[in-house]
Amino acid sequence: MTVYVLALLTGAVAGLRAMTAPAMVSWAAHLGLLDLSGTWLAFFGNVWVRWILTLFALVELVTDQLPSTPSRTVPVQFGARIVTGALSGAAIGASGGAMLGGMIAGIIGAVIGTLGGRAFRAKLATALGSDRPAALIEDAVAIGGALLIGVALR
């Protein structure tokens, strides 16, 4: 049951910031918190993949602040969040022998994170009178959530 909850939460992180979840999974694999050896997801443990995903996650934190960035609910953005949520959830699930269940939980979490994150940020931006602080709070929630999931994998 814990594997499914962690996969769902990882998907939700992907819904908030698409690249944060796979970067966390890659670091968790590197640190030995996720055993992905013998699975097609073992690539997450590769040093190049880890640093590329980390770079993408950092770039996403910057580009999210730009006014020209499209909504997370446009098909390409939404699709990317579902894919990264599915892959990240599958990796969490694989560590507990439930890759398919983890993938499904990751997809559900990504949808929840995408739609819920958009609604939360809109309300927060209205309350704060500006989108930038709301975006920074959302960044903190995504990063903090990823770190907590990583700790829970221990």
Side-chain angles (χ1 to χ4, degrees), residues 9-106:
L9 293 172
T10 301
V13 168
L16 296 175
R17 296 290 176 268
M19 298 311 298
T20 300
M24 180 275 297
V25 165
S26 188
W27 278 99
H30 167 70
L31 295 171
L33 303 174
L34 285 177
D35 181 13
L36 301 175
S37 60
T39 72
W40 62 273
L41 296 167
F43 71 88
F44 273 118
N46 180 283
V47 64
W48 289 103
V49 171
R50 183 173 63 253
W51 287 110
I52 289 168
L53 289 173
T54 300
L55 177 64
F56 285 174
L58 293 172
V59 168
E60 183 180 26
L61 292 174
V62 173
T63 60
D64 181 64
Q65 305 296 320
L66 303 175
S68 60
T69 301
S71 168
R72 72 184 83 203
T73 58
V74 299
V76 171
Q77 296 279 358
F78 206 152
R81 293 168 196 289
I82 289 172
V83 169
T84 60
L87 287 171
S88 300
I92 301 288
S95 70
M99 186 183 300
L100 181 59
M103 181 181 289
I104 292 167

